[in-house]
Amino acid sequence: MVSLKERLTELLISNKLITQEQLNQALEVQSEKGGRLSDIIVDLKFIKENELISVLSQGLGVPLIDLKRFKIDYEIAKIVPIDIARRYQIIPISKMGDTITLTMADPLNIFAIDHVEALTGYKINPIISPGEDILQAIELSYPDTTKGVIDNLVKELAVSSIEFIKEEKELLPTDQELDRISREPPVIKITNMLLEEATNKRASDILIEPWDIKLRVRFRIDGVLHEEQAPPKSMHPSIVSRVKVMSNLNIAEHRLPQDGRFKAKIFDREIDFRVSILPSSLGEKVAIRILDKSQAMLDIEKLGFSEETVSKLKNVAKTPHGMILVCGPTGSGKTTTLYSLLKLVDTPEKNIVTVEDPVEYQLEGINQVTVRPQIGLTFAGALRSILRQDPNVIMIGEIRDYETVDIAIKSALTGHLALSTLHTTTSSGAIVRLVNMGVEPYLINSSLICVLAQRLVRKICFYCKEKYTLEKEIIDTLKLNTGRLENRGLASNSQSHIIKKYEFFRGKGCNHCFNTGYSGRMGIAEILLLSAKIRELILGRAQEHIIKQEARKEGMRTLREEGMDAALKGITTVQEVLRVTAPDE
């Protein structure tokens, strides 16, 4: 019977990956120091680990898996204790009946297979992956481990620089030292790992926040912040410096806010990162906005809005002149909606110019200007210059003051289509806001076409979607039109004609959605069109609720109603709609 060692040497020699002389040298090292022959051959640099893994996979008929692109469930991983997993460089990735699929760095290690079978009672189906990938997967998959991936990555730094900080407890590293440390491999690895992990989890923002005794790292995923594993607090200055170096910011400036940006290619996707550094009492806070062009949906029909809303937007976008406002809180997708409208109206015959702070996505065929207040290039100043360029369509990133709104309205009155955003929560509130900024009601009536108020709600994960019921009493407290719910009504057994519960959907939580129950986001919106009656109310300086009442009489659906419609269709949850909308919205 051929031994495991003989099988390995036969594969390597027959595939001409090593010579007989190199094999003899490796065998001598093994007899002197012990250890696995495969590890020794790699350590002696006779063969690369990926080549060894590939030949073992082909020669033994053992499948090869890329663990970097595989999310392992902790409930599966914990079948094998972490100390055993580390000792043999193994990790289970799936279970079916009485068999577990075990990823191994060395599928020839029969002792590891026998040990796991005896320990767990499961049959073993071995597959192969590089040992380094398995060790990293172990640290990521066992949340109770005390030595995480980040701790392993900073070991080198702990020897070279953390000792220096301990010697000078009262002093921070100098700018020259920070510049040097920020270019060392451990700091680069940790910073890159944060960017990769955030991108892999579809995060839109990374927040790095110094606390008194620790560093906090949070990812904003689908609009909600989640705390992640953080490096040691002592590494905070070097990580901030590394981000500054990547963003071409002043590494020596620690007292003033700084803004920058950089690009990186992650998972074969080119991604823009927008950086904001803010000094705080405990150190510099870093906010990194992730702008993944591959995830951007600049199509008005793919934003999640109802068919009725999309139809109305398409109609108003065809208007040759006037002003369209999009309003909502920060992070509600206003800019994406404006970009989608620009893509809708963009034709070779039109001259389109935008003024933004800053430009989020570069749009082909559209002229985009970034405001720079520090040199005097404000929204108002840029708009004056743009009007001399004879544009057909103007997009203003945000209306912040009277000067900007005055020029925007005059542009709309003189034959331009002006698109902009305003920080109000409702569409009717936007009109009152314009009046409060000093705009005369007759100018609003002459220029404004419509106002769109929007929110983003998280979508239920497709993979773990499940049905559940809500009591009728709960639905009644939401003041919904229960007539729209009858098809989801569940009658009581004793009184079949009386509806007691309603059927909805939610996400149970799984690997695909990182156990949140949600994956991705969609827009909900209310659109206010300026009818003759509403223009009359504006001219009389009517209050917000009066304008809203009239708009609803004319068919306007509110944000909450649009959200509940999405919940009824099983796209989002009732809880998510209640989270992002107020009772009067």
Side-chain angles (χ1 to χ4, degrees), residues 125-142:
N125 174 35
I127 60 175
I128 192 169
S129 189
E132 184 178 349
D133 290 357
I134 293 176
L135 290 175
Q136 184 171 342
I138 289 171
E139 304 304 335
L140 291 173
S141 303
Y142 290 81

Side-chain angles (χ1 to χ4, degrees), residues 405-452:
V405 72
D406 182 56
I407 298 174
I409 287 177
K410 289 177 180 175
S411 302
L413 292 173
T414 54
H416 306 87
L417 180 62
L419 291 74
S420 188
T421 68
L422 197 63
H423 278 289
T424 60
T425 56
T426 64
S427 54
S428 52
I431 294 173
V432 176
R433 170 73 174 140
L434 291 176
V435 174
N436 292 338
M437 291 176 71
V439 181
E440 292 295 333
Y442 73 89
L443 289 176
I444 298 176
N445 284 344
S446 302
S447 59
L448 190 60
I449 307 171
C450 80
V451 183
L452 178 83

